[in-house]
Amino acid sequence: MLFKQKGILFVLSGPSGVGKGTVRKALFKKNTSLKYSTSMTTRPMRPGEQEGVDYFYRSKEAFEQMIENNQLLEHAEYVGNYYGTPREYVEQQLEEGNDVFLEIEVQGALQVKVNFPEGVFIFLSPPSLEELKNRIVSRGTETESLVINRLNAAKEEIDMMDAYDYVVVNDRVDHAVENIQAIVKSEHCKRERVASEYKKILEVSQS
Ligand code: 5GP
Protein backbone atom coordinates (compact mmCIF):
# COMPACT_ATOMS: atom_id res chain seq x y z
CA MET A 1 0.00 0.00 0.00
CA LEU A 2 1.53 3.29 -1.08
CA PHE A 3 -0.57 5.47 1.17
CA LYS A 4 -3.02 4.95 3.96
CA GLN A 5 -6.59 6.07 3.44
CA LYS A 6 -8.02 7.98 6.40
CA GLY A 7 -10.99 6.55 8.27
CA ILE A 8 -14.45 8.13 8.27
CA LEU A 9 -15.96 9.73 11.35
CA PHE A 10 -19.61 8.73 11.92
CA VAL A 11 -21.65 10.68 14.46
CA LEU A 12 -24.95 9.33 15.74
CA SER A 13 -27.05 11.91 17.53
CA GLY A 14 -30.64 12.96 18.05
CA PRO A 15 -33.12 14.17 20.63
CA SER A 16 -32.95 13.05 24.21
CA GLY A 17 -34.76 9.77 24.90
CA VAL A 18 -34.79 8.61 21.27
CA GLY A 19 -32.72 5.50 22.06
CA LYS A 20 -29.24 6.43 20.80
CA GLY A 21 -27.51 4.29 23.42
CA THR A 22 -29.65 1.24 22.69
CA VAL A 23 -29.08 1.49 18.93
CA ARG A 24 -25.34 2.01 19.38
CA LYS A 25 -25.05 -1.04 21.67
CA ALA A 26 -27.00 -3.19 19.19
CA LEU A 27 -24.79 -1.98 16.34
CA PHE A 28 -21.61 -2.90 18.22
CA LYS A 29 -22.97 -6.37 19.04
CA LYS A 30 -22.78 -7.00 15.30
CA ASN A 31 -19.55 -7.73 13.57
CA THR A 32 -18.51 -4.20 12.74
CA SER A 33 -15.17 -2.68 11.85
CA LEU A 34 -16.22 0.64 13.37
CA LYS A 35 -14.23 1.82 16.37
CA TYR A 36 -16.39 3.15 19.17
CA SER A 37 -15.06 6.23 20.88
CA THR A 38 -15.81 5.81 24.59
CA SER A 39 -16.92 9.11 26.05
CA MET A 40 -15.86 10.78 29.24
CA THR A 41 -18.43 11.87 31.82
CA THR A 42 -18.77 13.33 35.29
CA ARG A 43 -22.02 11.47 35.96
CA PRO A 44 -21.91 8.61 38.48
CA MET A 45 -21.51 5.08 37.18
CA ARG A 46 -24.80 3.18 36.93
CA PRO A 47 -25.15 -0.45 38.04
CA GLY A 48 -23.78 -2.77 35.37
CA GLU A 49 -21.58 -0.11 33.78
CA GLN A 50 -17.80 -0.40 33.54
CA GLU A 51 -14.99 2.13 33.53
CA GLY A 52 -13.51 2.38 30.04
CA VAL A 53 -16.36 0.41 28.46
CA ASP A 54 -19.46 2.55 28.96
CA TYR A 55 -17.60 5.74 29.86
CA PHE A 56 -14.43 7.05 31.39
CA TYR A 57 -15.78 8.35 34.71
CA ARG A 58 -13.96 11.45 35.90
CA SER A 59 -14.35 14.18 38.54
CA LYS A 60 -15.57 17.61 37.51
CA GLU A 61 -12.07 18.99 38.15
CA ALA A 62 -10.39 16.36 35.99
CA PHE A 63 -12.93 16.95 33.22
CA GLU A 64 -12.41 20.72 33.32
CA GLN A 65 -8.67 20.16 33.10
CA MET A 66 -9.23 18.10 29.93
CA ILE A 67 -11.26 20.97 28.45
CA GLU A 68 -8.52 23.43 29.37
CA ASN A 69 -5.83 21.26 27.74
CA ASN A 70 -7.90 21.00 24.55
CA GLN A 71 -8.00 17.22 24.96
CA LEU A 72 -11.70 16.96 24.09
CA LEU A 73 -13.05 17.05 20.58
CA GLU A 74 -16.36 18.32 21.91
CA HIS A 75 -18.12 18.47 25.22
CA ALA A 76 -21.53 19.40 26.54
CA GLU A 77 -23.34 19.77 29.80
CA TYR A 78 -26.35 17.50 29.99
CA VAL A 79 -28.67 17.29 33.02
CA GLY A 80 -26.04 18.74 35.32
CA ASN A 81 -23.11 16.59 34.16
CA TYR A 82 -20.35 16.94 31.62
CA TYR A 83 -20.00 14.57 28.67
CA GLY A 84 -17.19 14.72 26.14
CA THR A 85 -15.20 12.94 23.44
CA PRO A 86 -11.48 12.41 24.10
CA ARG A 87 -9.67 13.81 21.08
CA GLU A 88 -6.58 11.59 20.92
CA TYR A 89 -8.32 8.24 20.34
CA VAL A 90 -10.50 9.64 17.53
CA GLU A 91 -7.65 11.37 15.69
CA GLN A 92 -5.34 8.38 16.03
CA GLN A 93 -7.91 5.86 14.76
CA LEU A 94 -8.86 8.04 11.79
CA GLU A 95 -5.20 8.52 10.96
CA GLU A 96 -4.69 4.75 11.02
CA GLY A 97 -7.51 4.34 8.52
CA ASN A 98 -10.21 3.11 10.90
CA ASP A 99 -13.77 4.40 10.92
CA VAL A 100 -14.77 5.94 14.23
CA PHE A 101 -18.26 6.06 15.67
CA LEU A 102 -19.51 8.63 18.19
CA GLU A 103 -22.85 8.51 19.97
CA ILE A 104 -23.42 11.92 21.51
CA GLU A 105 -26.15 14.47 22.21
CA VAL A 106 -26.97 17.26 19.76
CA GLN A 107 -24.91 20.17 21.14
CA GLY A 108 -21.81 17.99 20.96
CA ALA A 109 -22.62 16.83 17.43
CA LEU A 110 -22.82 20.44 16.26
CA GLN A 111 -19.37 21.12 17.74
CA VAL A 112 -17.92 18.08 15.97
CA LYS A 113 -19.41 19.36 12.72
CA VAL A 114 -17.37 22.57 13.06
CA ASN A 115 -14.09 20.64 13.55
CA PHE A 116 -14.85 17.70 11.25
CA PRO A 117 -17.16 18.94 8.50
CA GLU A 118 -16.17 15.87 6.45
CA GLY A 119 -17.72 13.61 9.12
CA VAL A 120 -20.99 11.78 8.48
CA PHE A 121 -23.81 13.01 10.70
CA ILE A 122 -26.71 10.67 11.38
CA PHE A 123 -29.86 11.90 13.10
CA LEU A 124 -31.79 9.26 15.01
CA SER A 125 -35.40 10.30 14.84
CA PRO A 126 -38.23 9.20 17.15
CA PRO A 127 -40.94 7.03 15.54
CA SER A 128 -43.50 9.46 16.99
CA LEU A 129 -42.40 11.96 14.35
CA GLU A 130 -43.10 9.43 11.60
CA GLU A 131 -46.47 8.49 13.15
CA LEU A 132 -47.39 12.14 13.29
CA LYS A 133 -46.54 12.56 9.62
CA ASN A 134 -48.61 9.49 8.68
CA ARG A 135 -51.63 10.70 10.64
CA ILE A 136 -51.57 14.08 8.99
CA VAL A 137 -50.94 12.71 5.52
CA SER A 138 -53.67 10.05 5.79
CA ARG A 139 -56.36 12.30 7.24
CA GLY A 140 -55.57 15.41 5.28
CA THR A 141 -57.71 17.75 7.36
CA GLU A 142 -56.40 16.84 10.78
CA THR A 143 -57.11 19.77 13.09
CA GLU A 144 -57.22 18.24 16.57
CA SER A 145 -55.44 20.39 19.12
CA LEU A 146 -53.50 17.35 20.24
CA VAL A 147 -51.93 17.05 16.82
CA ILE A 148 -51.23 20.77 16.71
CA ASN A 149 -49.42 20.55 20.05
CA ARG A 150 -47.45 17.57 18.93
CA LEU A 151 -46.61 19.34 15.71
CA ASN A 152 -45.20 22.28 17.62
CA ALA A 153 -43.07 19.96 19.73
CA ALA A 154 -41.99 18.08 16.61
CA LYS A 155 -40.95 21.30 14.89
CA GLU A 156 -37.99 21.66 17.20
CA GLU A 157 -36.83 18.15 16.35
CA ILE A 158 -37.29 18.67 12.63
CA ASP A 159 -35.24 21.88 12.83
CA MET A 160 -32.48 19.91 14.54
CA MET A 161 -32.25 17.58 11.54
CA ASP A 162 -30.94 20.35 9.30
CA ALA A 163 -27.36 19.91 10.44
CA TYR A 164 -27.30 16.19 9.56
CA ASP A 165 -26.57 14.14 6.45
CA TYR A 166 -28.90 11.21 7.16
CA VAL A 167 -32.06 10.54 9.18
CA VAL A 168 -32.70 7.09 10.64
CA VAL A 169 -36.08 6.47 12.25
CA ASN A 170 -35.81 4.41 15.39
CA ASP A 171 -39.04 2.47 14.82
CA ARG A 172 -37.28 -0.79 15.65
CA VAL A 173 -33.74 -1.16 16.92
CA ASP A 174 -32.80 -3.77 14.28
CA HIS A 175 -34.14 -1.53 11.48
CA ALA A 176 -32.15 1.42 12.78
CA VAL A 177 -28.99 -0.70 12.99
CA GLU A 178 -29.48 -1.98 9.42
CA ASN A 179 -29.89 1.55 8.14
CA ILE A 180 -26.76 2.74 9.91
CA GLN A 181 -24.80 -0.17 8.41
CA ALA A 182 -26.16 0.77 4.99
CA ILE A 183 -25.01 4.37 5.49
CA VAL A 184 -21.51 3.19 6.43
CA LYS A 185 -21.36 1.08 3.24
CA SER A 186 -22.67 3.89 1.04
CA GLU A 187 -20.19 6.38 2.43
CA HIS A 188 -17.34 4.07 1.47
CA CYS A 189 -18.70 3.95 -2.10
CA LYS A 190 -19.07 7.74 -2.41
CA ARG A 191 -17.55 9.00 -5.62
CA GLU A 192 -15.74 11.87 -3.87
CA ARG A 193 -13.97 9.50 -1.49
CA VAL A 194 -13.18 6.79 -4.04
CA ALA A 195 -11.96 9.25 -6.69
CA SER A 196 -9.69 11.07 -4.25
CA GLU A 197 -8.11 7.73 -3.25
CA TYR A 198 -7.35 6.92 -6.89
CA LYS A 199 -6.00 10.40 -7.46
CA LYS A 200 -3.63 9.98 -4.52
CA ILE A 201 -2.41 6.65 -5.92
CA LEU A 202 -1.75 8.33 -9.27
CA GLU A 203 0.10 11.23 -7.66
CA VAL A 204 2.26 8.90 -5.57
CA SER A 205 3.01 6.56 -8.49
CA GLN A 206 3.92 9.46 -10.80
CA SER A 207 6.17 11.21 -8.31
P1 5GP B 1 -26.41 8.80 29.64
O1 5GP B 1 -26.09 9.56 30.90
O2 5GP B 1 -27.84 8.34 29.60
O3 5GP B 1 -25.44 7.67 29.40
O4 5GP B 1 -26.21 9.78 28.40
C1 5GP B 1 -26.87 11.01 28.36
C2 5GP B 1 -26.68 11.68 27.01
O5 5GP B 1 -25.31 12.02 26.82
C3 5GP B 1 -27.06 10.80 25.81
O6 5GP B 1 -27.86 11.60 24.94
C4 5GP B 1 -25.73 10.48 25.16
O7 5GP B 1 -25.86 10.35 23.74
C5 5GP B 1 -24.95 11.72 25.49
N1 5GP B 1 -23.49 11.52 25.43
C6 5GP B 1 -22.79 10.41 25.72
N2 5GP B 1 -21.48 10.63 25.52
C7 5GP B 1 -21.36 11.90 25.08
C8 5GP B 1 -20.24 12.71 24.66
O8 5GP B 1 -19.08 12.31 24.65
N3 5GP B 1 -20.52 13.97 24.27
C9 5GP B 1 -21.77 14.49 24.24
N4 5GP B 1 -21.93 15.72 23.81
N5 5GP B 1 -22.84 13.75 24.61
C10 5GP B 1 -22.64 12.48 25.03
Side-chain angles (χ1 to χ4, degrees), residues 28-102:
F28 278 87
K29 275 201 185 122
K30 305 245 169 183
N31 185 16
T32 173
S33 58
L34 296 166
K35 302 283 179 189
Y36 177 59
S37 157
T38 305
S39 295
M40 193 167 283
T41 186
T42 59
R43 83 148 163 75
M45 194 186 275
R46 292 183 190 140
E49 290 185 344
Q50 281 179 304
E51 162 72 19
V53 175
D54 297 281
Y55 284 102
F56 297 109
Y57 301 86
R58 294 292 181 268
S59 66
K60 194 165 179 266
E61 293 69 33
F63 197 103
E64 285 172 347
Q65 192 61 54
M66 296 277 293
I67 300 175
E68 188 130 321
N69 298 345
N70 197 26
Q71 288 170 297
L72 299 176
L73 198 62
E74 59 76 33
H75 69 277
E77 213 171 324
Y78 178 83
V79 225
N81 286 299
Y82 282 128
Y83 293 82
T85 304
R87 179 188 295 279
E88 195 181 352
Y89 177 80
V90 174
E91 292 185 346
Q92 191 182 326
Q93 290 298 327
L94 292 175
E95 209 51 54
E96 285 175 15
N98 296 317
D99 291 345
V100 178
F101 190 90
L102 309 182

Side-chain angles (χ1 to χ4, degrees), residues 3 5 186-201:
F3 69 95
Q5 189 203 344
S186 314
E187 283 295 324
H188 277 278
C189 297
K190 266 227 166 128
R191 196 260 312 148
E192 294 92 320
R193 292 189 204 280
V194 178
S196 75
E197 276 171 50
Y198 285 125
K199 281 177 192 156
K200 273 188 217 154
I201 296 179

